[in-house]
Amino acid sequence: KSSFYRERFFATHLRVNLDMLKTRHREALLLRCCLAMQQRFVVDNTNPTIAERARYIAPARAAGFRVVGYYFRMEARDCVGRNARRPERERVPPQAIYGTRKRLQPPTLAEGFDVLYAVRLDESRGFVVEDWADEV
């Protein structure tokens, strides 16, 4: 997700990331500032459940933002492999990846997204963004 953010949004959107901010309180403060200033932002967190995504979608919509979601269509084992290639201080335990996968509820437009996209990696490990299909 973070590589996708850097490649696609770094120059235009502020990054809201719990790993960087460390607490939900700090994250909420930054989110409120973005909403108040009408600053475009990207939530660079996994947010595998509808409830977790709602904490960003509802306030963004209320503030008049267009809400765009990107679903990363990747197998857990591939995520574990990518994670292993990250710098050691940035790695997460493989159990966390598998645990998040078990909790995953694929997004739907009914959650409040204006548009959804599916993201996958191509053979050269580049990001491919595709129009959303309800079947993931």
Side-chain angles (χ1 to χ4, degrees):
K1 302 172 316 311
S2 298
S3 298
F4 185 77
Y5 165 79
R6 281 190 296 275
E7 182 180 301
R8 306 275 174 128
F9 298 105
F10 180 80
T12 58
H13 292 67
L14 194 64
R15 180 177 176 228
V16 177
N17 177 269
L18 189 58
D19 292 339
M20 179 179 64
L21 296 168
K22 304 292 186 215
T23 70
R24 288 283 179 203
H25 176 72
R26 287 177 168 178
E27 182 192 53
L29 286 173
L30 182 55
L31 180 63
R32 282 197 304 269
C33 285
C34 288
L35 297 173
M37 296 184 322
Q38 289 292 294
Q39 169 62 51
R40 292 189 301 177
F41 63 95
V42 169
V43 177
D44 181 13
N45 294 332
T46 304
N47 300 313
T49 68
I50 293 167
E52 289 170 285
R53 294 187 291 268
R55 86 173 51 136
Y56 309 103
I57 294 171
R61 290 194 64 79
F65 279 81
R66 182 170 182 258
V67 179
V68 179
Y70 292 87
Y71 176 82
F72 288 78
R73 191 179 289 169
M74 296 178 194
E75 296 295 325
R77 70 178 176 277
D78 295 332
C79 294
V80 169
R82 285 178 62 86
N83 182 57
R85 291 188 294 277
R86 296 172 82 181
E88 189 170 348
R89 70 186 191 315
E90 295 178 17
R91 290 183 202 149
V92 297
Q95 310 88 293
I97 294 170
Y98 289 111
T100 299
R101 178 65 180 112
K102 284 181 185 176
R103 295 179 31 239
L104 180 65
Q105 298 171 314
T108 66
L109 290 170
E111 292 177 54
F113 291 103
D114 290 298
V115 65
L116 281 167
Y117 295 103
V119 180
R120 65 177 175 80
L121 292 175
D122 66 12
E123 301 78 34
S124 66
R125 312 297 285 169
F127 294 107
V128 177
V129 178
E130 300 171 325
D131 289 334
W132 182 253
D134 287 333
E135 299 171 33
V136 178

